[in-house]
Amino acid sequence: AVQSGEIKFDQNAVIVFGGCNTESTDQLSNGQVSLALSVTKQIGITTYGATGQVSPELDVNGKESGKLITDGNWVKNERVVSSSTVSFKLPIIGKISFKVPKVTYKQTNTGKVLDPKKVVSQTSNSQ
């Protein structure tokens, strides 16, 4: 549905994968990427995935704090678009230059605790 255009995401959209091992590459073959990174690459939005087991964080009274903890690490996946200038010389016309977009993917270890509300509010405030 995403590829057919039925589902669209805002440029600043973020997906937090609250499941276990969504950033794990342990069981993948060469060339395969994690679920979270795969979504970033396919859709172009920021994702967060965990390299280990995920559970809700509990406060001192045993109540859920709203944060998610992992025994691995949370990884933020971002699409980074930059450009470089390509120039060449043509007879008669002379020098021609144009910018070529370059897409890379940045992965950042964000620690063992993730606050989904904070991630969403930071995204909303950056617009």
Side-chain angles (χ1 to χ4, degrees):
V2 172
Q3 288 153 342
S4 69
E6 295 173 32
I7 299 174
K8 297 182 192 252
F9 292 91
D10 184 79
Q11 182 179 0
N12 295 321
V14 173
I15 294 177
V16 174
F17 288 96
C20 302
N21 301 305
T22 55
E23 192 54 54
S24 178
T25 56
D26 292 344
Q27 303 298 318
L28 302 177
S29 302
N30 287 342
Q32 292 181 312
V33 297
S34 67
L35 172 63
L37 180 57
S38 176
V39 170
T40 295
K41 286 185 171 188
Q42 292 295 317
I43 302 174
I45 63 172
T46 299
T47 62
Y48 287 81
T51 61
Q53 300 295 312
V54 175
S55 59
E57 179 184 66
L58 303 177
D59 66 17
V60 293
N61 298 319
K63 293 187 179 183
E64 292 185 18
S65 69
K67 297 177 183 177
L68 299 172
I69 58 173
T70 179
D71 60 1
N73 289 298
W74 285 100
V75 177
K76 178 181 182 181
N77 299 294
E78 300 172 273
R79 181 178 185 233
V80 179
V81 180
S82 59
S83 64
S84 59
T85 302
V86 175
S87 300
F88 56 93
K89 220 177 206 181
L90 292 174
I92 303 172
I93 298 173
K95 184 177 177 182
I96 294 179
S97 299
F98 56 92
K99 291 192 178 206
V100 177
K102 179 181 178 186
V103 177
T104 56
Y105 299 92
K106 178 181 175 185
Q107 293 187 286
T108 306
N109 179 342
T110 63
K112 296 191 173 296
V113 180
L114 182 73
D115 185 344
K117 289 180 184 178
K118 186 175 180 182
V119 169
V120 170
S121 68
Q122 286 174 347
T123 302
S124 298
N125 292 334
S126 68
Q127 294 179 4

